[in-house]
Amino acid sequence: MKTYSRLPVNFSHGQGSYLYDSKGRSYLDGLCGISVTNLGHAHPAVTLAIKKQAESLLHTSNLYEIDGQELLASQLADIAGMDKIFFANSGAEANEAAIKLARMHGHQRGFKNPEIIVLEGAFHGRTLATLSATDGNKIQTGFAPLVPGFIRTKRNDFNEIVEKLESHSEVVAILLEPIQGEGGIIPLNMNYLKQLRELCDEKNCLLIFDEVQSGNGRTGNYFAYQGLGVVPDIVTTAKGLANGVPIGACLAKGSAAEVLTIGKHGSTFGGNPLACAAAMAVLETIKNEELCSRSTELGKIIRDSIVNSVNDLGMIKEIRGKGLMIGVELNNECNDLVSYALNDGLLINVTSEKTIRLLPPLIMTDEEGLALGRAVGTAINNFQTLIEDF
Ligand SMILES: Cc1ncc(COP(=O)(O)O)c(C=O)c1O
């Protein structure tokens, strides 16, 4: 089905920070398949883990015990400071698990119509529940009736959330991305997040962080919240968790970890041996190669290189983000920049019309980071010439 507007390129293979098309032309990957191939392409540890697992067992079923899933759950929960995990196959599914969990938590408190507060600019996925939680007509139009039970509030507006909690008596959770991705790489205020944590504790609400895009080492810590000093009750992730093998995870702590019991949720593929083996290799590599701190270092190299390569800094409104989740907002709409960059052998993306989104691999060398910054700078310079000529 024609659900994607595809760029005219077809990659035959990848290596590290580069993808290659069928004619052998190389492209510097500044996007990682939208925050997925965080360890780059064909990382030997991931390839070996997948190969070894495929030689013995791809799939059994969640009807049986799965050692690899238990190992991954205990290591990932340790890293996250969470107690239990439900494994799914994608980000939207991880969020579905979190939404179901929050609703059931509400029902256990005696609520009939539990509601979840969500934010302006949010993106949580494309299933019916997650697109209802997502902000934006573009994503919701044509799919009414939407799933009820979501209350939208302005970003970083604590008082509005306090008001909603006063006017709605069955709010069970607040769901947000600590750094909004599709919304334009917008980090939420740290103080706002701290206030929300206190509010949730006071009102017995669950604080849910969607780290589908920001998780897995991308922002300087394994999860973005670990750099913010605010711990959620539930965190979801997917994308980079297994470097391209589909997997999603909903992690919970404290009483939230006890809500979903036998028969209340399930998935045929979720946490199967293949996906878990790949994810274990990713976790080990991130730890052994100290890629969380590396993402902070690399982020600085790339940002500085962009600033040094742009002729007219007046083109740039703001550079935002953390670590390797970088948004360069221009003063003009710049969707076309994606195809121009592609022609120059650079893979980037534009969100919210004006923001260049960079989600490069954590394994880039300093030289590759500098080259990425220079390539983005050049793309902005060429784009400026084009709009001036126009
Ligand atoms: C923050 C966030 N949540 C959820 C999703 C949905 O993930 P998936 O496409 O794996 O369902 C995305 C995807 O871009 C995302 O960025």
Side-chain angles (χ1 to χ4, degrees):
M1 297 183 193
K2 286 217 171 282
T3 63
Y4 303 102
S5 156
R6 296 185 199 271
L7 291 159
V9 64
N10 200 333
F11 300 111
S12 60
H13 64 288
Q15 188 63 56
S17 304
Y18 286 89
L19 277 166
Y20 298 85
D21 70 14
S22 41
K23 294 179 198 108
R25 180 164 183 217
S26 66
Y27 297 79
L28 183 57
D29 191 354
L31 195 61
C32 278
I34 319 186
S35 202
V36 173
T37 49
N38 289 3
L39 304 189
H41 300 283
H43 192 286
V46 182
T47 306
L48 182 67
I50 293 172
K51 186 168 177 287
K52 266 174 74 180
Q53 190 60 47
E55 278 167 355
S56 66
L57 194 63
L58 286 179
H59 179 86
T60 52
S61 164
N62 282 306
L63 293 173
Y64 312 110
E65 291 180 3
I66 302 174
D67 278 349
Q69 187 186 110
E70 283 179 29
L71 181 68
L72 175 63
S74 76
Q75 305 248 333
L76 187 58
D78 264 6
I79 291 171
M82 295 283 142
D83 295 325
K84 291 194 176 156
I85 304 186
F86 177 85
F87 286 108
N89 314 286
S90 66
E93 279 179 82
N95 286 336
E96 286 275 344
I99 292 165
K100 281 181 71 175
L101 196 167
R103 282 190 169 193
M104 180 156 275
H105 189 252
H107 284 286
Q108 288 174 355
R109 292 173 63 192
F111 296 166
K112 292 214 164 42
N113 295 298
E115 293 185 294
I116 298 176
I117 291 178
V118 288
L119 297 194
E120 138 194 59
F123 184 86
H124 298 296
R126 301 283 199 150
T127 61
L128 265 180
T130 58
L131 78 81
S132 304
T134 291
D135 190 15
N137 291 337
K138 216 167 90 189
I139 284 159
Q140 294 178 340
T141 302
F143 300 110
L146 299 184
V147 173
F150 295 103
I151 307 168
R152 194 155 315 277
T153 63
K154 283 198 281 305
R155 226 178 353 238
N156 290 324
D157 189 337
F158 178 67
N159 290 338
E160 194 185 354
I161 294 198
V162 172
E163 280 162 27
K164 294 289 182 207
L165 276 162
E166 273 162 18
S167 55
H168 294 72
S169 58
E170 300 198 327
V171 173
V172 287
I174 301 171
L175 164 64
L176 57 85
E177 300 151 82
I179 303 176
Q180 292 188 333
E182 304 298 308
I185 312 287
I186 304 181
L188 297 184
N189 293 345
M190 207 193 257
N191 195 38
Y192 168 72
L193 294 173
K194 287 193 171 139
Q195 286 178 309
L196 291 184
R197 177 66 277 173
E198 281 167 21
L199 186 67
C200 284
D201 288 341
E202 191 190 314
K203 303 282 183 189
N204 193 15
C205 275
L206 297 173
L207 185 60
I208 308 175
F209 284 176
D210 175 345
E211 294 230 26
V212 167
Q213 193 168 138
S214 58
N216 309 299
R218 179 150 292 285
T219 67
N221 289 281
Y222 193 86
F223 286 108
Y225 67 80
Q226 293 168 320
L228 297 168
V230 179
V231 182
D233 301 289
I234 299 172
V235 57
T236 58
T237 194
K239 288 191 182 278
L241 182 54
N243 215 53
V245 178
I247 188 169
C250 172
L251 300 80
K253 72 191 268 281
S255 63
E258 309 302 327
V259 172
L260 292 176
T261 50
I262 290 174
K264 294 300 179 195
H265 201 32
S267 163
T268 295
F269 291 122
N272 87 359
L274 181 73
C276 290
M280 266 311 299
V282 171
L283 283 195
E284 278 164 8
T285 307
I286 288 180
K287 188 170 153 225
N288 296 341
E289 297 182 12
E290 296 180 6
L291 293 179
C292 290
S293 50
R294 178 69 185 147
S295 87
T296 304
E297 267 169 36
L298 261 171
K300 190 170 176 334
I301 290 175
I302 296 167
R303 280 164 178 246
D304 288 350
S305 168
I306 296 173
V307 170
N308 293 334
S309 314
V310 169
N311 295 335
D312 174 7
L313 284 173
M315 285 288 289
I316 298 178
K317 184 171 175 206
E318 189 182 21
I319 303 187
R320 295 185 292 264
K322 221 172 166 227
L324 291 176
M325 193 167 178
I326 304 171
V328 184
E329 184 173 344
L330 302 189
N331 285 310
N332 294 290
E333 283 192 17
C334 60
N335 288 314
D336 293 346
L337 219 147
V338 174
S339 353
Y340 301 143
L342 181 73
N343 285 337
D344 289 339
L346 171 67
L347 304 177
I348 53 170
N349 174 249
V350 168
T351 60
S352 306
E353 320 295 338
K354 291 183 179 173
T355 303
I356 301 171
R357 175 165 53 164
L358 300 177
L359 301 161
L362 282 51
I363 48 81
M364 272 190 162
T365 60
D366 286 3
E367 290 68 35
E368 287 169 343
L370 285 167
L372 175 61
R374 273 197 306 271
V376 172
T378 307
I380 295 173
N381 294 338
N382 293 342
F383 183 64
Q384 181 178 24
T385 315
L386 267 167
I387 49 179
E388 279 170 2
D389 289 353
F390 189 75

